């Protein structure tokens, strides 16, 4: 079965550079979530989209932005990168429509490991 | 406030011994509770959710609303169970379905 796809899997950037992470949800999933997991830390919610509209916002820095496109894939744009942005960035997808919008299961991608030097 | 607490950062047990990973939550309403597992260098995977009441890889978890707990249990640990385990809660606001995560428990199964 198709899973959540993230690209790239690994990314090395320097301080003050920009990065774009991509997430392709499971087919027919309408919701995408972004999480940041620092070394040895639990995942922290960044932002989510439902039907191409932002549905929830967590601890996402102002330097970051994200959007969901018409094909439901999502991109996380990160500018003015800082050393502290080095982390594993997970994308997850779910289907609110099918689940009736109550605590539906989120399926995670493999993550993009970002290293800022 | 919504909060998930996993009191143990590290749990080490011998192979064949029973395992219990603790999870307590704070939520005003009816929560959806999940356990996710993260094997070394792999993605987060859903282990189980309380609403389905399934047993995955021998693990079970019962939602105890009185004690606000959702402890993960397995009667006989196996070496391949070594991983990070995260308890998570799903918010039930208007459109807030983000997962609220516990800090995780690293489970080490000793041979």
């Amino acid at each position: 079965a198709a899973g959540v796809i993230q690209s790239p899997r690994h990314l090395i950037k320097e301080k003050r550079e920009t990065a774009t992470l991509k997430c392709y949800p499971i087919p027919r999933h309408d919701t995408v979530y972004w999480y940041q997991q620092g070394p040895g830390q639990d995942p922290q919610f960044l932002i989510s989209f439902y039907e191409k509209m932002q549905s929830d916002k967590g601890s996402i820095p102002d330097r970051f932005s994200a959007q969901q496109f018409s094909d439901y894939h999502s991109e996380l744009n990160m500018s003015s990168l800082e050393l502290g942005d080095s982390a594993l960035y997970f994308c997850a997808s779910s289907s609110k429509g099918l689940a009736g919008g109550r605590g539906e299961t989120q399926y995670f991608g493999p993550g993009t490991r970002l290293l800022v030097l | 406030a919504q909060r998930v607490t996993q009191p143990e950062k590290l749990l080490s047990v011998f192979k064949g011994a029973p395992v219990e990973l603790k999870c307590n939550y704070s939520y005003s309403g009816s929560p959806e509770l999940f356990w996710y597992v993260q094997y070394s260098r792999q993605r987060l995977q859903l282990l189980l959710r309380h609403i389905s009441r399934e047993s995955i890889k021998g693990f079970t978890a019962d939602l105890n609303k009185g004690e606000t707990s959702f402890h993960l249990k397995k009667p006989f640990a196996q070496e391949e169970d070594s991983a990070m385990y995260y308890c998570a809660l799903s918010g039930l606001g208007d459109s807030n379905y983000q997962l609220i995560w516990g800090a995780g428990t690293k489970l080490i199964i000793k041979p």
Side-chain angles (χ1 to χ4, degrees), chain A residues 37 56 96 101 103 105-106, chain B residues 32 36 49 86 97-98 101:
Chain A
Q37 186 178 26
D56 194 10
K96 279 186 193 170
T105 299
Q106 295 179 26
Chain B
E32 296 285 351
Y36 280 85
R49 58 185 297 190
Y86 293 96
Y97 296 99
Q98 60 166 296
W101 296 89

Side-chain angles (χ1 to χ4, degrees), chain A residues 3-4 33 35 37 41-45 55-57 88 90 96 101-110, chain B residues 30-32 34 36 38 41-46 49 51 86 90-92 95-99 101-104:
Chain A
V4 177
Y33 308 79
Y35 294 86
Q37 186 178 26
Q41 297 180 8
D42 55 291
Q44 296 294 316
F45 171 74
S55 57
D56 194 10
K57 191 172 181 179
L88 187 61
F90 283 110
K96 279 186 193 170
R102 176 182 166 88
E104 72 282 10
T105 299
Q106 295 179 26
Y107 296 90
F108 284 81
Chain B
S30 297
E32 296 285 351
F34 305 83
Y36 280 85
Q38 188 174 29
R41 306 183 72 81
Q42 294 187 27
R43 72 183 71 188
L44 283 162
Q45 301 174 45
L46 178 69
R49 58 185 297 190
I51 200 168
Y86 293 96
S90 179
L92 295 173
S95 59
N96 295 345
Y97 296 99
Q98 60 166 296
L99 286 170
W101 296 89

